[in-house]
Amino acid sequence: MDVLYRDEKVASAASSVAGRLVADGAPARLAAGDPTVWGEDAEAGAAGPPLRASRELLPDMGRLAEQARAAGLTNVVLAATGAAALAAEVICDTADVPLTVLDTSDPGQLRRALADPLESTIVVAAGSAVETECCLLIYEELFAQAGIEAAERIVAVADPRSPLGQRALERGYRLVPPTGPDAASPVGGPGPALPGDVQGGAGQPADGQGLAGLRARGLGAALSAAALVPSALAGADVARLLDDAEEVLPLLSRDSGNPGLALGAALGGAALGGRDKLLLEDQLSAIAGLPDWIEALVAESTGKHGKGILPVVGADPNRSHDELVIAIESDVGDVRVEGPLGAQFLVWEYAAATAALLLDVDPADRPDVTEPADNAAALLALPELPAGAPALVDGPVEVYGPVTAKDLPGVFIELLHAIPADGYLAVTAYLDRLAAFDAPVPDGADFEQMTDAWMMADPATLRALLALRTDRPVTFGWGPRSWHATGQYHKGGPQNGVFLQITGAVAEDVTVPGKPYTLGRLQLAQALGDLESLETRGRPAVRLHLTDRAAGVAHLLAAAQEV
């Protein structure tokens, strides 16, 4: 695992802050998961699964995967949110094995997943998000309607005392308790249950058992059961991931030759010097999608109390005064990071904790991350969602917010002009992130022509079009996935963001069994709850509602090209 500085100013700043960290004994304390690095009153929290416990899961994960393949269960669905879901997606995309990640409330995206054969489907559920609960309820009903025993098709990764864990115990699902002393005994339903992880403490040595407390500081848990179980079922080599992570682990307690310290010092040192926009470049990397996971890790770990590092994915450098470009396996950036995926996960987790320490924030502290969900729950209790009246209508696009423009290009111009000199524009789309692949392509089209057709039907293309028209960073995220990624930064980070939200009318909704709302209503409530959180903090925000999704996306992209 190599971290190479390619910019003298970055190297100088990193050397200065690294020296300070070493003098304080921080490298070894971070590797041991000592929470008092963030202050004597810092709480350890619930320790995440250390590497040794994850390795102890391997035989059982292997047996479960073999049983699933023998039963013809080749369609693996992960109902989860947050960094673990993003990590599983990276693992499986890199291994080129199929995995469906459902971290959305979009009815179209759920319907797309439900179109896969139910007889070959196995579902892994993890976490407590409402999206996860809705997906689980929908699959439970579908299994029942098809005469399929759900206990043979659902694996829950949850604390036995949590609502998901209790549901799994009551219904006989296989249960993987991710943490805690109660997890020391195997728990599960039909078939061999996966044994639980063993609780780790803050004083563990960095010998394969350490970093449990470090994970408890709110980091990515990329090598936890929530990411590894679905990845193993999908066919990824999770043992190799752990091998690569364990190889780099002893380095993370060192004062020198420590790639986590080198990367974290670069991140934190640059941010303290004003370079707090982190551009992630991975075009030459064989690892697929790692910047999306890094974005969630860094934004959520550092973005709070008016501070933070803003990750920017998929953007070309502007060479602005506040940019830091980190390249994965290429030499185009200020810092080059190279290594296998398992090592990358661990080093980036350590680096995020180091950067947070330098910024004087606790990565486990997420004061703003639950507010949009609370807002959405309150809105769902109302007879009607208070969407308000549009400020203007431009074709299939309704514009909501404090705008004075007379058309959509004018709205984009207002938003771009509103970005502060040290700020950014964040675009969040509460839509189906796979709908662009439904776009019609010409008969006999080659791959380039198909890609062009998909891009011109993809809301994410708006990021690139607007970025061409400003020298400030433009980010893009899918809601509510972004709640568990950049959402904490958007609400708790520096007060220099401008926000554009996109929602869309639902043509074919999905009923949620046992709930008084549909997925479409939930999705809009989540978008409005997110918007409320931004507006109460004085963040300038505009919502664009597509009355026809496909036509609306095309209209958005055409308008952006007129700016």
Side-chain angles (χ1 to χ4, degrees):
M1 185 78 196
D2 294 318
V3 177
L4 176 66
Y5 301 148
R6 302 184 67 253
D7 179 279
E8 290 184 3
K9 292 182 180 179
V10 171
S12 176
S15 176
S16 176
V17 297
R20 193 171 77 224
L21 291 171
V22 168
D24 292 340
R29 294 172 68 193
L30 281 170
D34 179 2
T36 62
V37 171
W38 285 274
E40 292 299 324
D41 296 329
E43 296 181 2
L51 293 181
R52 184 178 298 165
S54 294
R55 182 168 291 283
E56 289 173 354
L57 284 172
L58 287 175
D60 298 278
M61 284 192 288
R63 283 192 290 270
L64 180 58
E66 289 174 5
Q67 288 182 344
R69 284 192 290 271
L73 304 181
T74 56
N75 178 38
V76 183
V77 175
L78 172 60
T81 60
L86 289 169
E89 196 166 68
V90 174
I91 291 167
C92 292
D93 285 351
T94 300
D96 195 23
V97 296
L99 174 70
T100 298
V101 176
L102 292 179
D103 55 356
T104 181
S105 53
D106 184 79
Q109 200 165 327
L110 261 290
R111 293 175 69 90
R112 186 184 311 280
L114 297 176
D116 291 327
L118 196 64
E119 61 270 16
S120 61
T121 296
I122 183 169
V123 177
V124 179
S128 59
V130 64
E131 307 94 276
T132 300
E133 181 188 13
C134 289
C135 290
L136 184 58
L137 291 171
I138 290 167
Y139 271 102
E140 285 178 340
E141 181 173 80
L142 289 175
F143 285 138
Q145 290 174 349
I148 297 173
E149 180 58 54
E152 298 174 358
R153 299 299 188 89
I154 295 175
V155 179
V157 181
D159 188 307
R161 296 160 294 191
S162 70
L164 177 58
Q166 287 294 306
R167 189 177 189 86
L169 290 172
E170 291 168 2
R171 301 193 171 215
Y173 302 155
R174 288 183 173 88
L175 177 63
V176 185
T179 60
D182 292 344
S185 300
V187 181
L194 299 181
D197 296 323
V198 179
Q199 173 126 5
Q204 296 165 329
D207 62 352
Q209 185 74 1
L211 292 186
L214 179 57
R215 292 184 191 279
R217 307 319 298 161
L219 302 182
L223 299 175
S224 68
L228 294 183
V229 170
S231 299
L233 284 168
D237 186 352
V238 296
R240 175 64 182 273
L241 289 170
L242 294 175
D243 288 343
D244 291 335
E246 288 181 340
E247 187 172 340
V248 76
L249 182 60
L251 304 179
L252 299 183
S253 60
R254 295 183 181 179
D255 293 340
S256 62
N258 180 338
L261 177 62
L263 181 56
L267 291 170
L272 290 172
R275 298 173 69 172
D276 59 355
K277 310 300 187 299
L278 170 62
L279 272 66
L280 296 163
E281 202 285 330
D282 72 332
Q283 293 185 29
L284 299 180
S285 175
I287 301 173
L290 185 60
D292 290 332
W293 176 82
I294 295 171
E295 177 185 43
L297 173 73
V298 173
E300 197 168 38
S301 296
T302 67
K304 58 209 75 176
H305 309 306
K307 306 175 184 179
I309 298 170
L310 175 69
V312 185
V313 176
D316 294 325
N318 287 317
R319 294 303 170 191
S320 299
H321 66 282
D322 53 355
E323 284 183 359
L324 173 70
V325 182
I326 294 188
I328 300 167
E329 299 182 351
S330 74
D331 291 324
V332 301
D334 304 309
V335 180
R336 175 189 173 103
V337 181
E338 185 173 13
L341 179 55
Q344 291 266 8
F345 279 145
L346 207 57
V347 166
W348 277 100
E349 287 180 2
Y350 184 104
T354 301
L357 180 60
L358 290 168
L359 293 177
D360 195 28
V361 295
D362 185 343
D365 181 25
R366 301 175 184 181
D368 311 294
V369 76
T370 62
E371 185 178 310
D374 295 338
N375 292 344
L379 291 172
L380 284 171
L382 300 175
E384 296 291 336
L385 295 179
L392 70 96
V393 177
D394 188 332
V397 180
E398 298 175 341
V399 181
Y400 295 82
V403 299
T404 60
K406 302 304 182 185
D407 57 18
L408 199 50
V411 172
F412 290 145
I413 290 172
E414 286 187 10
L415 287 168
L416 293 172
H417 286 172
I419 305 173
D422 62 344
Y424 65 97
L425 172 65
V427 182
T428 304
Y430 283 79
L431 300 169
D432 179 353
R433 66 187 177 100
L434 300 177
F437 296 113
D438 296 334
V441 297
D443 291 337
D446 58 23
F447 182 74
E448 184 175 351
Q449 291 172 315
M450 288 190 293
T451 300
D452 289 343
W454 294 332
M455 286 184 61
M456 294 316 297
D458 191 349
T461 303
L462 184 62
R463 190 213 66 77
L465 293 175
L466 295 178
L468 290 173
R469 290 151 176 84
T470 178
D471 61 356
R472 302 310 305 148
V474 180
T475 67
F476 183 90
W478 299 98
R481 166 183 279 217
S482 59
W483 289 10
H484 315 281
T486 51
Q488 172 59 50
Y489 181 95
H490 289 166
K491 282 80 175 179
Q495 179 82 345
N496 57 9
V498 176
F499 299 89
L500 175 61
Q501 186 187 88
I502 306 171
T503 57
V506 174
E508 294 183 85
D509 213 338
V510 175
T511 300
V512 182
K515 296 293 183 181
Y517 51 76
T518 63
L519 282 183
R521 180 176 167 87
L522 171 62
Q523 184 182 43
L524 183 56
Q526 289 177 319
L528 295 176
D530 193 14
L531 199 63
E532 181 181 345
S533 292
L534 294 169
E535 291 172 343
T536 56
R537 288 165 173 77
R539 264 67 163 166
V542 170
R543 180 170 70 95
L544 306 180
H545 185 71
L546 314 181
T547 54
D548 178 294
R549 291 196 179 196
V553 169
H555 197 66
L556 288 181
L557 301 185
Q561 293 178 75
E562 294 180 22
V563 175

